[in-house]
mmCIF file of all heavy atoms in Angstrom:
data_model
loop_
_atom_site.group_PDB
_atom_site.id
_atom_site.type_symbol
_atom_site.label_atom_id
_atom_site.label_comp_id
_atom_site.label_asym_id
_atom_site.label_seq_id
_atom_site.Cartn_x
_atom_site.Cartn_y
_atom_site.Cartn_z
ATOM 1 N N GLU A 339 -155.330 28.534 263.385
ATOM 2 C CA GLU A 339 -154.083 29.132 263.853
ATOM 3 C C GLU A 339 -152.957 28.988 262.821
ATOM 4 O O GLU A 339 -152.090 29.864 262.715
ATOM 5 C CB GLU A 339 -153.650 28.511 265.181
ATOM 6 C CG GLU A 339 -153.492 27.002 265.173
ATOM 7 C CD GLU A 339 -154.773 26.260 265.523
ATOM 8 O OE1 GLU A 339 -155.861 26.866 265.409
ATOM 9 O OE2 GLU A 339 -154.670 25.082 265.914
ATOM 10 N N ASP A 340 -152.994 27.909 262.025
ATOM 11 C CA ASP A 340 -151.988 27.765 260.967
ATOM 12 C C ASP A 340 -152.242 28.756 259.830
ATOM 13 O O ASP A 340 -151.295 29.341 259.280
ATOM 14 C CB ASP A 340 -152.007 26.343 260.419
ATOM 15 C CG ASP A 340 -151.385 25.341 261.378
ATOM 16 O OD1 ASP A 340 -150.829 25.783 262.406
ATOM 17 O OD2 ASP A 340 -151.463 24.122 261.120
ATOM 18 N N LEU A 341 -153.505 28.925 259.465
ATOM 19 C CA LEU A 341 -153.826 29.910 258.435
ATOM 20 C C LEU A 341 -153.435 31.319 258.885
ATOM 21 O O LEU A 341 -152.938 32.125 258.095
ATOM 22 C CB LEU A 341 -155.316 29.858 258.096
ATOM 23 C CG LEU A 341 -155.801 28.643 257.300
ATOM 24 C CD1 LEU A 341 -157.317 28.651 257.184
ATOM 25 C CD2 LEU A 341 -155.160 28.617 255.914
ATOM 26 N N ALA A 342 -153.661 31.604 260.164
ATOM 27 C CA ALA A 342 -153.276 32.917 260.686
ATOM 28 C C ALA A 342 -151.762 33.098 260.646
ATOM 29 O O ALA A 342 -151.264 34.191 260.340
ATOM 30 C CB ALA A 342 -153.794 33.074 262.111
ATOM 31 N N ALA A 343 -151.007 32.033 260.914
ATOM 32 C CA ALA A 343 -149.545 32.119 260.865
ATOM 33 C C ALA A 343 -149.057 32.333 259.435
ATOM 34 O O ALA A 343 -148.162 33.158 259.186
ATOM 35 C CB ALA A 343 -148.936 30.851 261.460
ATOM 36 N N LEU A 344 -149.634 31.614 258.475
ATOM 37 C CA LEU A 344 -149.272 31.822 257.076
ATOM 38 C C LEU A 344 -149.566 33.248 256.640
ATOM 39 O O LEU A 344 -148.776 33.888 255.936
ATOM 40 C CB LEU A 344 -150.035 30.837 256.188
ATOM 41 C CG LEU A 344 -149.374 29.501 255.871
ATOM 42 C CD1 LEU A 344 -150.348 28.614 255.090
ATOM 43 C CD2 LEU A 344 -148.099 29.698 255.085
ATOM 44 N N THR A 345 -150.714 33.753 257.066
ATOM 45 C CA THR A 345 -151.092 35.129 256.725
ATOM 46 C C THR A 345 -150.105 36.136 257.293
ATOM 47 O O THR A 345 -149.680 37.082 256.627
ATOM 48 C CB THR A 345 -152.508 35.428 257.236
ATOM 49 O OG1 THR A 345 -153.433 34.588 256.554
ATOM 50 C CG2 THR A 345 -152.885 36.873 257.009
ATOM 51 N N ALA A 346 -149.705 35.925 258.544
ATOM 52 C CA ALA A 346 -148.746 36.836 259.171
ATOM 53 C C ALA A 346 -147.420 36.841 258.429
ATOM 54 O O ALA A 346 -146.791 37.886 258.234
ATOM 55 C CB ALA A 346 -148.539 36.438 260.632
ATOM 56 N N TYR A 347 -146.995 35.666 257.971
ATOM 57 C CA TYR A 347 -145.729 35.586 257.221
ATOM 58 C C TYR A 347 -145.831 36.312 255.891
ATOM 59 O O TYR A 347 -144.951 37.101 255.519
ATOM 60 C CB TYR A 347 -145.366 34.115 257.005
ATOM 61 C CG TYR A 347 -144.164 33.925 256.104
ATOM 62 C CD1 TYR A 347 -142.931 34.505 256.402
ATOM 63 C CD2 TYR A 347 -144.281 33.160 254.935
ATOM 64 C CE1 TYR A 347 -141.835 34.323 255.555
ATOM 65 C CE2 TYR A 347 -143.203 32.990 254.088
ATOM 66 C CZ TYR A 347 -141.977 33.576 254.401
ATOM 67 O OH TYR A 347 -140.894 33.405 253.564
ATOM 68 N N LEU A 348 -146.901 36.071 255.152
ATOM 69 C CA LEU A 348 -147.052 36.686 253.821
ATOM 70 C C LEU A 348 -147.205 38.204 253.928
ATOM 71 O O LEU A 348 -146.638 38.946 253.121
ATOM 72 C CB LEU A 348 -148.252 36.075 253.091
ATOM 73 C CG LEU A 348 -148.124 34.596 252.717
ATOM 74 C CD1 LEU A 348 -149.436 34.061 252.149
ATOM 75 C CD2 LEU A 348 -146.983 34.387 251.736
ATOM 76 N N MET A 349 -147.980 38.665 254.901
ATOM 77 C CA MET A 349 -148.154 40.102 255.055
ATOM 78 C C MET A 349 -146.863 40.802 255.455
ATOM 79 O O MET A 349 -146.692 42.001 255.223
ATOM 80 C CB MET A 349 -149.271 40.407 256.069
ATOM 81 C CG MET A 349 -150.649 39.976 255.624
ATOM 82 S SD MET A 349 -151.958 40.432 256.797
ATOM 83 C CE MET A 349 -151.958 42.217 256.627
ATOM 84 N N GLY A 350 -145.939 40.049 256.062
ATOM 85 C CA GLY A 350 -144.662 40.624 256.473
ATOM 86 C C GLY A 350 -143.619 40.641 255.385
ATOM 87 O O GLY A 350 -142.517 41.178 255.593
#
Side-chain angles (χ1 to χ4, degrees):
E339 56 271 20
D340 286 353
L341 288 173
L344 268 175
T345 296
Y347 173 57
L348 294 173
M349 294 183 68

